Amino acid sequence: VSTVRSARELARAEITRQITDEARRQLAEHGAAQLSLRAVGRALGMVSSAVYRYVSSRDDLLTALIVQAYDALGAHTEHAVAAAPPDDPPARWLAAAHAVRGWARAHPHEYALVYGSPVPGYVAPRATVPAASRVGLALIEVLLTAHHHGALATSPGHPGQAVPDHLEPDLAALVADLPPATAQRAVAAWTELFGLISFELFGHLVGVVADRDAFFDAAIRRTAHDLGLRPPG
Amino acid sequence: VSTVRSARELARAEITRQITDEARRQLAEHGAAQLSLRAVGRALGMVSSAVYRYVSSRDDLLTALIVQAYDALGAHTEHAVAAAPPDDPPARWLAAAHAVRGWARAHPHEYALVYGSPVPGYVAPRATVPAASRVGLALIEVLLTAHHHGALATSPGHPGQAVPDHLEPDLAALVADLPPATAQRAVAAWTELFGLISFELFGHLVGVVADRDAFFDAAIRRTAHDLGLRPPG
DNA sequence: TGTACATCAGTGAACGCGCGTTCACTGATGTAC
DNA sequence: TGTACATCAGTGAACGCGCGTTCACTGATGTAC
């Protein structure tokens, strides 16, 4: 009985998937501003009002795409870290950074959707938070693992300067094991990573940086070093 | 005779100014996507087609706003640097950084217009380049002045590692006097600065950083130190 | 100083477009007895 | 196994909106003699 029942449910799930797939395709091609429910329906051969059986509003669809983009980027980054040499902390950090950049360059409009200017009138629901956190958590995991293996040099910082805690409690708890100066640096490194990628994708390196690959790689290596990550041996 | 002639020209200049002013007001309030020639005309009490006497297209108006935003940010930053203690390089760097952040927070939509996701279908003409360069040039000037006054510690970098040149020739010439490692770091510091601000304005620090002012200040101080900038005495 | 002409600002209507969303409806698919 | 009913997917038309841009036009402002 439950199989029969799920026949309709399966069809429903399948068409919902087709709708978000097509929406993602149009997002990738034309950007978030051009995304319209009518166009999605048209591409799937259904009348615009039919789309409303599956999606309650345009914002609803946008939210789905945002979560999917965060998840795709997060998964891509996690896999890259997992594939890096486990006992080489700087290599793991670099793998994460290059994974983020690689995904962003391959999906510029999806990247812009989540890391560019906020869509006017749209407020991201809390449901997006876990997906949005994956890259940050992957980076923290690299640092924590290095620290637990004793592969984290104590961050120099300003000699003798106290490190106040600017972070939110939840995050502070996550990085409690790290030296405070390293934790602060790590958040800055995280923003620098996305700053580099956004500047590249949004055209601000034109006339500034000639060799983007090498520049990015050098910047990230320097950051990894400044964070205290050291290769084995 | 030329005064009479310029009567009409003055009127023209005045109304052109009113149009861009109103456009900027609407940009600040609703964002670039909501900016429309019709709405601007309406607010000024003119019919939409009349606006075309002064502006050749919507893209034309957008370009004007972009240039004005870059110029406003650039001028604000330059003044802040000029007002900082001239013999204190880190203080000058911090003044520049805080000026950029202050302007961005005061004009979030204008900031998003130039540093957020590119407007779909819009291609910035070359005319925007000089205005867009002003913040970067201000930062370079701080470094060069410090260097010429011997207030720039040699950047540690990776010991013994050669520093390849990833920069475009025009920029490389500008920073030719700086140690290569410092120049490379400086470009990364420039992207980090905007990365920090974009993350703050675009909502990515929610749940991450509690005290944004202190976090930003600490990050920029660290960067200034890493760049080799040292206070006098 | 006055007149004929050219320039320009602003009007109002229109073209053509696409959008999000609603609503009453037809048919098909599933459910209960 | 068969019938009466409920659920749901998809249709087609419509509402109401706003946009960028063009075009023939009226009147006012400036120019040349």
Side-chain angles (χ1 to χ4, degrees):
Chain A
V1 184
S2 73
T3 28
V4 177
R5 185 182 201 201
S6 62
R8 199 132 74 168
E9 283 177 4
L10 277 179
R12 187 174 178 79
E14 165 63 15
I15 297 199
T16 305
R17 200 187 53 73
Q18 285 183 24
I19 287 177
T20 56
D21 279 3
E22 176 60 27
R24 194 165 50 243
R25 225 191 44 69
Q26 296 190 10
L27 166 64
E29 193 168 342
H30 305 111
Q34 311 292 336
L35 179 68
S36 91
L37 291 187
R38 294 187 98 111
V40 169
R42 234 177 285 136
L44 294 176
M46 46 198 323
V47 87
S48 68
S49 51
V51 179
Y52 281 82
R53 294 281 164 204
Y54 301 92
V55 160
S56 70
S57 70
R58 184 177 185 272
D59 275 10
D60 192 53
L61 182 57
L62 261 187
T63 298
L65 292 177
I66 286 172
V67 171
Q68 288 176 13
Y70 275 130
D71 270 326
L73 171 60
H76 185 69
T77 306
E78 289 161 7
H79 290 151
V81 172
D87 57 344
D88 187 339
R92 298 184 83 215
W93 181 271
L94 256 90
H98 278 108
V100 175
R101 177 168 179 258
W103 187 90
R105 284 161 54 106
H107 307 89
H109 280 122
E110 288 175 72
Y111 178 86
L113 174 65
V114 292
Y115 288 107
S117 347
V119 177
Y122 175 83
V123 182
R126 299 198 189 284
T128 61
V129 170
S133 309
R134 291 175 69 170
V135 169
L137 292 177
L139 294 176
I140 288 174
E141 191 271 331
V142 169
L143 290 174
L144 284 175
T145 301
H147 185 53
H148 292 152
H149 288 47
L152 194 65
T154 48
S155 181
H158 302 201
Q161 178 166 334
V163 178
D165 195 5
H166 311 133
L167 307 184
E168 291 280 4
D170 286 359
L171 175 59
L174 269 180
V175 298
D177 282 358
L178 297 176
T182 300
Q184 300 285 330
R185 260 187 197 271
V187 177
W190 169 68
T191 70
E192 187 197 13
L193 167 62
F194 285 92
L196 285 164
I197 294 169
S198 292
F199 257 31
E200 176 178 353
L201 288 186
F202 298 168
H204 293 284
L205 297 190
V206 174
V208 175
V209 175
D211 187 340
R212 313 262 158 86
D213 291 350
F215 173 72
F216 181 82
D217 189 71
I220 297 299
R221 278 181 198 278
R222 198 191 317 111
T223 302
H225 186 267
D226 289 351
L227 276 167
L229 295 171
R230 295 290 181 273
Chain B
V1 185
S2 72
T3 28
V4 178
R5 185 182 200 199
S6 62
R8 199 135 72 170
E9 283 177 3
L10 277 179
R12 190 176 175 79
E14 165 63 17
I15 297 198
T16 304
R17 198 188 53 73
Q18 285 184 24
I19 288 178
T20 56
D21 279 3
E22 176 59 28
R24 193 165 50 245
R25 225 192 43 71
Q26 295 192 10
L27 166 64
E29 194 167 341
H30 305 112
Q34 311 292 336
L35 179 68
S36 92
L37 290 187
R38 294 188 98 110
V40 169
R42 234 177 285 136
L44 295 176
M46 46 199 322
V47 87
S48 67
S49 51
V51 179
Y52 280 84
R53 294 281 165 205
Y54 300 91
V55 160
S56 69
S57 71
R58 184 177 184 271
D59 275 10
D60 193 52
L61 182 57
L62 261 187
T63 299
L65 292 177
I66 286 172
V67 170
Q68 287 176 15
Y70 275 131
D71 270 327
L73 171 61
H76 186 69
T77 307
E78 288 160 9
H79 291 149
V81 172
D87 58 344
D88 188 339
R92 299 184 83 216
W93 181 271
L94 256 91
H98 278 108
V100 175
R101 177 170 179 258
W103 187 89
R105 285 163 52 108
H107 307 88
H109 281 122
E110 288 175 72
Y111 178 86
L113 174 64
V114 292
Y115 288 106
S117 347
V119 178
Y122 175 83
V123 182
R126 299 199 189 284
T128 60
V129 171
S133 309
R134 290 175 70 170
V135 168
L137 291 177
L139 294 176
I140 288 174
E141 191 271 331
V142 169
L143 289 174
L144 284 175
T145 302
H147 186 53
H148 292 151
H149 288 49
L152 194 65
T154 47
S155 181
H158 303 202
Q161 178 165 333
V163 179
D165 194 6
H166 311 132
L167 308 184
E168 292 280 3
D170 286 0
L171 176 59
L174 268 178
V175 297
D177 282 0
L178 296 176
T182 301
Q184 300 285 327
R185 260 187 197 271
V187 176
W190 169 68
T191 69
E192 186 196 14
L193 167 61
F194 286 92
L196 285 164
I197 294 169
S198 292
F199 257 31
E200 177 178 353
L201 287 186
F202 298 166
H204 294 283
L205 297 189
V206 173
V208 175
V209 174
D211 188 341
R212 312 263 158 87
D213 291 350
F215 172 73
F216 180 82
D217 190 70
I220 296 298
R221 278 180 198 279
R222 198 191 317 110
T223 302
H225 186 268
D226 288 350
L227 277 166
L229 294 171
R230 296 291 181 273

